[in-house]
Amino acid sequence: MQALPAAGPRRRLTSHLSVVVPLYNEEENVVELHRRLTGILNGRGIPHVLYFVNDGSRDGTLERLRKLASTDGRVRVLSFSRNFGHQMSISAGLAHADGDAVVVMDADLQDPPELIPDMLDGWAEGYDVVYAVRRKRKEGTLKRAAYALFYRVLRRISNVEMPLDSGDFSLLDARVVGLLRSFPERNRFVRGLRSWVGFRQTELAYERMPRRAGEPKYRIRHLVKLALDGFFAFSTVPLQLSTWLGFLAAGLGFLYLLYALASRFLYQNPAGWTSLAAIILFLGGTQLILLGVLGEYVGRIYEEVKLRPLYIVDEAIGFPEEAHGAVTRLGGKSP
Ligand code: UDP
Ligand code: MG
């Protein structure tokens, strides 16, 4: 995939900018996030609506959001019936966000709101996607190395040119949001889909801040799941692995057969059971691994065909359309 190179025609906001923020147990960050966001947006005179998606938090996040919505008419809150995950919260936010463009950012202020005006400048120049790229990660060496490896491998094996070191922090033109919204798939790796749509994309370098307060919500298990989603949703290379390994094993097996025959008939020295055990273990192991790879795809197909909604909205606060039932409570069902 190669995005269109140059910027398109210049444009400006005709209605407003939407900001989508997923939140899971972020009670310590809600108020400060809102203060920084409105500070920069009001300071620059950018008309905006804030979409906060409460992803089944167990702490006081929802109460604080409720309070914000009662004092700031530009705050809208979607609250899930349980925890559906980061990518689903973003999807829900995108499903309801309106305006000329939408910014997606984390709640823990690792993504500085002060970058939004620059993103908007990129959009005004005609870019449809402006994504932030981390200049430096302030995380442990191990996590950093894992991220670097992940993005590089993904880039090699996926059919999309996914930018290195970019997360979900980005600005999307309304047209791109409309497209992402129309994707029915369950395994939603938003940053991958964002590259996949194409159009004019550009990057903006920034320093990723350390999380302001609270624990990171992404445990290693979730990161691994996200990484696997990235691999399996955007590449069928792992499926071809078995073909190549099969050729390799068959080739090696043939060579070994020649060797075994030679040692049996030329040197009267039959190969013993040790070598047999080694070969069986090697082949058995390879087959199990490849079954696992197949399983990853089959499992994902199963998830897709069930056609369950992506998420369930328990409560929608601050939506003007609320009274008319315009808030979709079941994500993923056709509107
Ligand atoms: N988040 C969410 N649902 C989850 C986990 C995380 O909505 O199940 C939100 C979280 O509140 C934050 C963002 O997703 O706004 C990124 O989470 P976190 O900061 O824990 O991830 P990291 O920055 O370590 O990638
Ligand atoms: Mg974070």
Side-chain angles (χ1 to χ4, degrees):
M1 190 246 10
Q2 201 71 70
L4 300 180
R10 272 200 77 82
R11 55 191 163 189
R12 38 198 290 276
L13 291 177
T14 54
S15 62
H16 63 269
L17 175 78
S18 286
V19 181
V20 165
V21 187
L23 303 101
Y24 177 55
N25 296 345
E26 300 282 7
E27 62 178 4
E28 296 117 309
N29 293 320
V30 171
V31 174
E32 175 66 8
L33 171 75
H34 177 260
R35 195 187 63 77
R36 293 248 314 257
L37 263 174
T38 45
I40 188 78
L41 293 173
N42 288 335
R44 300 294 182 94
I46 301 171
H48 59 273
V49 177
L50 308 178
Y51 289 87
F52 291 117
V53 184
N54 172 38
D55 187 11
S57 300
R58 286 165 211 279
D59 64 357
T61 302
L62 181 57
E63 289 324 307
R64 300 210 178 167
L65 289 176
R66 220 189 281 280
K67 210 179 280 169
L68 281 185
S70 67
T71 54
D72 181 348
R74 291 193 274 207
V75 169
R76 296 182 189 169
V77 180
L78 290 166
S79 188
F80 283 174
S81 64
R82 64 168 171 87
N83 179 257
F84 280 90
H86 185 196
Q87 303 292 306
M88 291 308 168
S89 329
I90 294 178
S91 301
L94 291 179
H96 291 88
D98 46 5
D100 304 292
V102 179
V103 167
V104 176
M105 63 180 291
D106 284 355
D108 55 5
L109 292 163
Q110 284 195 283
D111 305 333
E114 291 71 25
L115 209 66
I116 295 178
D118 296 339
M119 290 180 151
L120 204 54
D121 285 344
W123 176 82
E125 282 167 30
Y127 286 104
D128 300 297
V129 175
V130 184
Y131 54 86
V133 181
R134 292 142 219 198
R135 202 176 287 133
K136 231 187 282 148
R137 275 185 179 271
K138 292 205 171 60
E139 284 146 338
T141 4
L142 197 70
K143 205 169 172 190
R144 257 198 343 249
Y147 272 107
L149 182 72
F150 166 66
Y151 279 106
R152 278 162 186 82
V153 172
L154 188 59
R155 197 176 208 181
R156 283 302 288 269
I157 69 168
S158 71
N159 334 335
V160 248
E161 185 93 351
M162 243 176 265
L164 295 182
D165 299 327
S166 77
D168 292 313
F169 188 25
S170 56
L171 179 143
L172 312 170
D173 179 59
R175 189 161 60 142
V176 174
V177 174
L179 282 168
L180 290 181
R181 219 182 266 181
S182 71
F183 288 5
E185 58 206 81
R186 260 108 265 279
N187 284 305
R188 299 178 88 79
F189 187 56
V190 176
R191 62 196 81 159
L193 297 175
R194 185 185 74 207
S195 313
W196 188 87
V197 295
F199 298 115
R200 299 178 181 86
Q201 308 213 353
T202 188
E203 60 179 54
L204 201 61
Y206 79 113
E207 302 272 328
R208 187 151 166 92
M209 300 292 136
R211 165 177 268 280
R212 198 187 82 88
E215 288 290 301
K217 309 299 179 283
Y218 266 124
R219 296 267 140 261
I220 292 297
R221 198 162 51 88
H222 290 108
L223 284 177
V224 170
K225 187 181 174 303
L226 192 67
L228 290 180
D229 276 349
F231 287 140
F232 293 112
F234 284 93
S235 173
T236 49
V237 171
L239 280 177
Q240 289 146 18
L241 214 63
S242 57
T243 318
W244 293 112
L245 280 177
F247 276 122
L248 186 73
L252 288 177
F254 182 70
L255 290 180
Y256 191 75
L257 180 70
L258 291 183
Y259 164 78
L261 285 175
S263 63
R264 172 74 183 79
F265 290 111
L266 298 182
Y267 310 108
Q268 313 294 328
N269 180 21
W273 65 272
T274 317
S275 52
L276 266 185
I279 293 167
I280 290 171
L281 282 178
F282 172 76
L283 282 182
T286 321
Q287 282 169 349
L288 281 180
I289 292 171
L290 294 173
L291 264 182
V293 170
L294 266 184
E296 288 286 342
Y297 285 96
V298 174
R300 273 151 225 271
I301 295 169
Y302 181 51
E303 287 299 320
E304 297 290 340
V305 298
K306 276 193 285 192
L307 283 178
R308 290 217 181 121
L310 300 175
Y311 52 80
I312 298 169
V313 175
D314 173 31
E315 210 182 328
I317 307 160
F319 284 79
E321 311 90 348
E322 220 173 321
H324 316 294
V327 171
T328 20
R329 294 189 183 267
L330 294 182
K333 285 280 164 74
S334 40

